[in-house]
Amino acid sequence: MKDEIMNGFVDIVSSQLNVNPNDIFKKDKRKNIVNARHILYYLSKKRNISIVEIENFMNENAYKIEHSSIIYGIGKVARRYQSDRDYRFILKKIMRQCSTI
């Protein structure tokens, strides 16, 4: 069930940020890809999906990630949400779409 939710998040995030959904699961350090990945972690955590479940989802999609990296990504989104008005606008838009899943 959590996989279905997270797959829905991947679709919404990739669509809103103009990122190929498959790129989220590649070892790509381009800023837009990393940002999409971090938002995926953030949305999942907001949905009460545990860090372990997020880690397992990423691993199942061939993206090896450590627990600490997920926590870092969530924190980065939370900090940027507080400090960047434009980022907050986009993230709220994504969160509204994700609330229907």
Side-chain angles (χ1 to χ4, degrees):
M1 183 161 129
K2 303 290 184 184
D3 284 357
E4 290 176 30
I5 293 168
M6 291 186 70
N7 280 321
F9 290 173
V10 168
D11 291 341
I12 291 168
V13 169
S14 61
S15 172
Q16 286 298 314
L17 300 179
N18 296 316
V19 171
N20 184 318
N22 295 324
D23 289 347
I24 292 174
F25 303 107
K26 292 180 182 173
K27 286 288 184 185
D28 191 324
K29 298 292 183 179
R30 286 181 288 171
K31 189 175 182 176
N32 62 331
I33 305 296
V34 172
N35 187 44
R37 204 177 294 130
H38 287 175
I39 290 173
L40 173 62
Y41 305 155
Y42 180 83
L43 294 169
S44 300
K45 187 65 179 157
K46 284 287 193 184
R47 185 67 177 259
N48 292 321
I49 297 173
S50 73
I51 302 296
V52 171
E53 290 172 310
I54 297 168
E55 184 178 2
N56 289 339
F57 175 79
M58 297 304 288
N59 287 332
E60 288 168 6
N61 284 282
Y63 188 81
K64 189 81 172 140
I65 184 88
E66 297 295 322
H67 212 79
S68 59
S69 297
I70 295 169
I71 294 168
Y72 172 81
I74 292 167
K76 188 156 184 165
V77 171
R79 287 186 300 277
R80 192 166 176 201
Y81 181 87
Q82 293 300 318
S83 65
D84 184 333
R85 184 174 157 205
D86 296 329
Y87 187 81
R88 186 169 41 249
F89 175 79
I90 295 296
L91 191 55
K92 282 182 178 181
K93 184 177 177 184
I94 292 170
M95 290 170 68
R96 275 192 303 275
Q97 287 183 316
C98 288
S99 68
T100 63
I101 296 176

